[in-house]
Amino acid sequence: MDPTDSTESQGVAVGGEEIIAPLPRITLQAFCETPAVSAAMQTAMADRRMDKAHARIQMGGPAAAVEAFRSAPTPNVIILETVSDPAALIASLEALAESCDAGTKVVIIGHVNDVLLYRDLIRRGVSDYLIAPLGPLDILRSLSELYIAPEARNLGRTIAVMGAKGGVGASTVAHNVAWAIARNLDASTVIVDLDIAFGTAGLDFNQDPPQGISEAVFAPERLDAAMLDRLLSRCSDNLALLAAPAMLDRTCDLAEDAFDQVFDLLRASVPYVVLDVPHVWSAWVKRSLIGADEVLIVAGPELASLRNAKNLIDLARAGRPNDSMPRLVLNQVGLPKRPEIDAGEFAKALGVEVLTSIPFEAQIFGTAANNGQMIAELQAGGKINEAFVQIASAVTGRGEAKRSKRSLFEPLVAKLKRRKA
C-alpha cells in the first residue's frame, strides 16, 4: 500500500472551479457493506471519468476483501467500506497487507468522524479515509487525487463545441469563443480542429501550418508533450491552434480513443482546450463530446436543429449525469425571410435555457471569414462580440476581465462630449 505513488500528471482547479480529472487505465475493486454506499459507488463507476478504468463492486466489506485476495493479485485500488469498530478494521487491514501487492492503493469509507482513526490509517499506508454518507463526486474526487503528480496542480478544462446540424456556424462560434477566452479573459487557450478532412480553423485564423492534428493522430507512438508543442500554430499571445490538414489523401476511419492522448497532453499543459467537433457521428465524436468538461451545442432557430439539438442534449445528459448541463446557443438568428422558432419556444422544447442568441450579420461574418479574422477584430464593441464573450464567461466560469474599468468612465466621457458640442 503506497499512498505516495503518483504515476499520472492529472490535476484540479481551473478558473476558480474544481475540475475532477479522469482516471488513468487502472483496475479497481470496491467492497461495500451498506446499500447507500454501494449505490453511490455504482453511480461513480458509471461516470465518464472512469471510462478508462476497470472496476468491480461487491458486498462484504473488509472481511470479503481479505478473503478475495488470499490467492488472487490485488488491483491498483481497493475501496473498503466499514461499519466495524476501529480495532476490527485495523485487524482486517493487517491481514490484507499480507497479500497486498506493492503499489496498491487503499481507500477506506467509514461511518465515524474520528481524527485519531484517520491518522492511524494514514500512518499504516491507507491513501484516503472518506466519511459516509457521500456522493459519487466525493468518490471520484478522492480517486482522481490519488493520481495527481505532486508537481501538477492545474488541469485544463475541455470545451466541446458541436453544431446541431451542418451549416449552423458551430466552427465560427468555437473559434470566436476561444479568441474571447484568450483575449478578454486573458487565459491560455488551444483550439483543436477535429475535422481532419474539411476543417476551417486554419482559414479562420489566416494560418497555413505545415503540420497539425493528423500528425498527432496517425502517429500516436511518437506523440509526447514536446511533439505536440511543435504541432501547435500560434494565433496570438494566449491562443494556439492545432489545425486540421483539410486534405483527402487518407480517410479518417478513426478508433474510438484516437484523440485521447492528444486531449490528455493538452489538458495537462493549458487551462482551456476548445474542441471544434465536426457534424458527423462516430464513436470518437461521441467519446469527445461525452468526455468534455463543458458541452456547447450550436443550433439554428429551425426544426431540424431543434430535433438534433434535443438528441444531443439528451445524450449528453445521460452520459454526463454528474456534470453541468449542456449549453445551447442559437446562431444565425434573423435570417431574412426565414420563418424561425422563437428562442423561448426552443428552450421550452429542450428543457434548457438558451445561453445567448447570435444575430445573422452576413456582412460582418463574411468579411471576417474571407479575411481570416475574428469578429472582435472587426467590431470589438458590437453585440455579436459581446455574445461570444458571454459564452466564454459561461463555459469557463469566469467573468470578463478587461472591460469593466474602462466602461465605468464611458458615460462621463459621452456626457462631456455632448456638452462640448
Side-chain angles (χ1 to χ4, degrees):
M1 306 179 193
D2 182 7
T4 62
D5 180 37
S6 298
T7 60
E8 298 285 325
S9 294
Q10 312 278 353
V12 296
V14 145
E17 291 189 8
E18 180 187 42
I19 302 289
I20 300 176
L23 268 75
R25 299 185 187 280
I26 61 168
T27 54
L28 180 150
Q29 198 158 348
F31 297 85
C32 304
E33 292 201 273
T34 64
V37 169
S38 177
M41 194 69 63
Q42 292 282 359
T43 303
M45 297 305 106
D47 189 89
R48 64 177 178 86
R49 301 167 185 86
M50 293 291 297
D51 198 46
K52 296 179 183 178
H54 179 72
R56 288 184 55 197
I57 304 169
Q58 66 186 75
M59 304 302 287
V66 171
E67 190 63 32
F69 298 122
R70 286 190 190 279
S71 57
T74 53
N76 300 115
V77 180
I78 300 173
I79 301 177
L80 305 175
E81 182 195 3
T82 177
V83 294
S84 306
D85 60 84
L89 173 61
I90 296 303
S92 296
L93 288 177
E94 289 178 348
L96 183 62
E98 295 178 2
S99 55
C100 204
D101 298 335
T104 294
K105 304 174 189 294
V106 175
V107 175
I108 305 294
I109 300 176
H111 292 259
V112 179
N113 190 355
D114 188 335
V115 175
L116 294 179
L117 174 61
Y118 169 78
R119 290 175 178 171
D120 189 19
L121 293 175
I122 298 301
R123 187 168 57 249
R124 292 174 181 272
V126 169
S127 298
D128 201 0
Y129 178 73
L130 306 177
I131 301 172
L134 74 175
L137 288 180
D138 299 315
I139 298 169
L140 291 168
R141 183 182 302 109
S142 176
L143 294 176
S144 178
E145 289 176 353
L146 296 180
Y147 291 91
I148 298 175
E151 69 276 7
R153 286 291 174 248
N154 292 317
L155 180 71
R157 181 189 293 268
T158 54
I159 303 160
V161 183
M162 185 174 183
K165 58 174 282 190
V168 295
S171 290
T172 299
V173 172
H175 305 161
N176 280 275
V177 167
W179 179 273
I181 295 172
R183 293 292 294 270
N184 293 74
L185 305 183
D186 197 27
S188 294
T189 307
V190 169
I191 300 171
V192 183
D193 193 341
L194 298 179
D195 193 349
I196 293 179
F198 302 104
T200 59
L203 294 175
D204 282 356
F205 288 96
N206 198 24
Q207 300 270 347
D208 188 21
Q211 295 178 309
I213 195 166
S214 60
E215 281 75 17
V217 172
F218 293 119
E221 70 283 352
R222 297 172 46 225
L223 185 62
D224 57 18
M227 176 184 175
L228 189 59
D229 186 63
R230 291 194 300 270
L231 297 178
L232 293 175
S233 175
R234 185 66 56 185
C235 299
S236 68
D237 290 342
N238 277 339
L239 186 63
L241 168 65
L242 188 57
M247 295 177 64
L248 304 180
D249 57 340
R250 67 175 87 187
T251 58
C252 304
D253 306 318
L254 302 173
E256 181 179 358
D257 59 352
F259 292 96
D260 284 5
Q261 190 177 0
V262 175
F263 297 163
D264 289 344
L265 288 171
L266 287 172
R267 294 174 85 241
S269 60
V270 291
Y272 298 104
V273 181
V274 177
L275 308 179
D276 183 1
V277 184
H279 187 73
V280 297
W281 197 241
S282 62
W284 67 262
V285 169
K286 180 180 178 181
R287 186 181 182 92
S288 300
L289 203 66
I290 297 297
D293 297 302
E294 291 281 349
V295 175
L296 183 68
I297 305 298
V298 180
E302 36 80 38
L303 188 59
S305 278
L306 176 63
R307 180 201 65 184
N308 294 351
K310 184 179 189 308
N311 289 339
L312 287 171
I313 288 172
D314 288 347
L315 173 84
R317 279 172 169 165
R320 306 166 66 256
N322 302 310
D323 291 275
S324 61
M325 287 281 291
R327 302 179 189 272
L328 176 66
V329 169
L330 287 183
N331 193 31
Q332 301 173 345
V333 175
L335 187 67
K337 298 183 180 181
R338 178 180 68 177
E340 295 184 347
I341 301 174
D342 179 73
E345 293 298 319
F346 214 98
K348 183 178 179 181
L350 299 182
V352 298
E353 293 295 323
V354 174
L355 176 58
T356 190
S357 295
I358 303 173
F360 176 78
E361 295 284 354
Q363 182 68 34
I364 296 174
F365 281 103
T367 301
N370 288 336
N371 293 347
Q373 293 178 296
M374 295 294 99
I375 298 299
E377 296 179 281
L378 295 177
Q379 200 178 73
K383 291 184 178 180
I384 297 175
N385 188 53
E386 289 179 357
F388 291 133
V389 174
Q390 179 188 354
I391 298 169
S393 298
V395 297
T396 60
R398 297 174 56 178
E400 187 178 0
K402 294 188 176 181
R403 293 190 54 187
S404 58
K405 290 184 179 180
R406 184 180 63 208
S407 64
L408 289 174
F409 297 98
E410 287 176 354
L412 178 59
V413 172
K415 187 174 181 181
L416 290 174
K417 285 183 178 178
R418 286 197 300 271
R419 285 183 177 179
K420 188 175 181 179

